Amino acid sequence: MVFRATTRIFTLNDYIYKTNLSAGNGRPGRGKNQTGKKGKDLLLEVPVGTVILDEETGDVLADLVQDGQSVIVLQGGKGGKGNKHFATATHRTPRFAQPGQPGQEKRLRLSLKFLAHVGLVGLPNAGKSTLLASLTHAKPRIAQYPFTTLVPNLGVVELESGKNLIIADIPGLIEGASQGKGLGIRFLKHIERTQLLLHVLDATYKPSGDILEDLHMIRKEMAEYSAPLTQKPYMVLINKIDLSEQISRNLEKLELILEQQHIPSLRISALTGEGIDALLSELRGYFEENIENCAFPKSC
Ligand SMILES: Nc1nc2c(ncn2[C@@H]2O[C@H](COP(=O)(O)OP(=O)(O)OP(=O)(O)O)[C@@H](O)[C@H]2O)c(=O)[nH]1
Ligand SMILES: [Mg+2]
């Protein structure tokens, strides 16, 4: 049983119902000095970023991080040896041959961890999917209610050098997500392998609150999931600035606080495109020389 990673599919949805898979058994040995045929390979395509685990032990059997990378996870049945194999001086044409061997069996778990370069994080409704749609050709679901995104989305930004930058949009996080509130934190695995995080803050989100509280809350939930996630470089995007009449707080003051903490920030409107060019040029500056994972075509 062979698993092969491909960048043509992005989900493991094919395997939701395909749960009982088997490759061919080895065929019995045959006459005329012939070994039986090997079992036929079963080739299974999975998205790049798929981790294959042994369900019983939890051991990682393979982590497929390159397009085209393949791994034999279970050996198929060997063909049986033919009758000649068993011939002796006194018994030249034995009437028996070895039966084909059955293949190995195992319960496997497939887990996908995206291999994106940039991860979008934020509260539900902050505008993450709108931003993905504005930066890339991706067409994620966008709507005016929380938890529109139920499964993560990927988009591709083509840099000037022709390199492809992969951006992951994950479902929104809320306070208590690490305790299972909302959709929980299980989607954070998809941004574990990114190089840069973009924190999308809704500048209109709380009528009188401080949107930095949103930032700290999200980062706290992320830290509960995995401390290294909070070590990644990040940038703050102050979104929805087109809704100026609904932004009562003083953005300059907010930006000053971020600056004092050496946190880069940008004002954007994912909807109207304001600030998106500035964001793209930041991304270019960051990644042109500095792309670590090369899983996708033209990424490096
Ligand atoms: N005016 C304005 N509306 C925006 C902007 N960005 C997003 N929106 C709106 O905000 C709502 C939520 O946008 P989404 O992109 O679905 O938000 P999300 O962060 O992906 O939300 P979840 O998937 O629920 O986590 C939609 O109605 C968008 O049209 C913006 O820059 N300006
Ligand atoms: Mg969304």
Side-chain angles (χ1 to χ4, degrees), residues 43-93:
L43 178 66
L44 299 166
E45 288 206 308
V46 289
V48 161
T50 299
V51 185
I52 302 166
L53 302 119
D54 182 321
E55 174 80 329
E56 260 116 74
T57 63
D59 291 345
V60 172
L61 304 177
D63 186 4
L64 298 172
V65 294
Q66 287 293 333
D67 192 21
Q69 187 184 349
S70 64
V71 62
I72 300 172
V73 173
L74 293 173
Q75 289 291 344
K78 279 207 173 98
K81 293 189 167 66
N83 64 336
K84 269 283 197 282
H85 180 83
F86 300 97
T88 59
T90 53
H91 195 194
R92 292 195 184 169
T93 44

Side-chain angles (χ1 to χ4, degrees), residues 212-251:
L212 284 182
E213 279 172 20
D214 296 345
L215 176 66
H216 295 145
M217 184 277 286
I218 296 276
R219 294 191 63 75
K220 191 171 147 274
E221 297 298 334
M222 283 168 49
E224 295 282 334
Y225 171 77
S226 133
L229 201 56
T230 56
Q231 308 296 311
K232 287 185 191 292
Y234 68 97
M235 190 172 175
V236 167
L237 302 176
I238 303 167
N239 189 32
K240 307 199 185 179
I241 53 156
D242 57 295
L243 298 173
S244 51
E245 72 285 2
Q246 291 180 40
I247 303 172
S248 52
R249 74 186 61 77
N250 186 339
L251 289 186

Side-chain angles (χ1 to χ4, degrees), residues 3 12-19 21 44-47 110:
F3 283 93
L12 287 167
N13 289 353
D14 282 358
Y15 297 95
I16 293 175
Y17 301 108
K18 254 199 251 170
T19 49
L21 297 157
L44 299 166
E45 288 206 308
V46 289
L110 303 183

Side-chain angles (χ1 to χ4, degrees), residues 243-282:
L243 298 173
S244 51
E245 72 285 2
Q246 291 180 40
I247 303 172
S248 52
R249 74 186 61 77
N250 186 339
L251 289 186
E252 280 82 20
K253 197 172 144 209
L254 179 80
E255 285 161 329
L256 191 66
I257 298 172
L258 290 170
E259 207 181 310
Q260 283 163 352
Q261 296 176 12
H262 309 288
I263 301 168
S265 71
L266 263 183
R267 292 185 195 191
I268 62 161
S269 166
L271 192 71
T272 66
E274 203 175 335
I276 296 300
D277 281 345
L279 173 58
L280 278 171
S281 78
E282 287 289 333

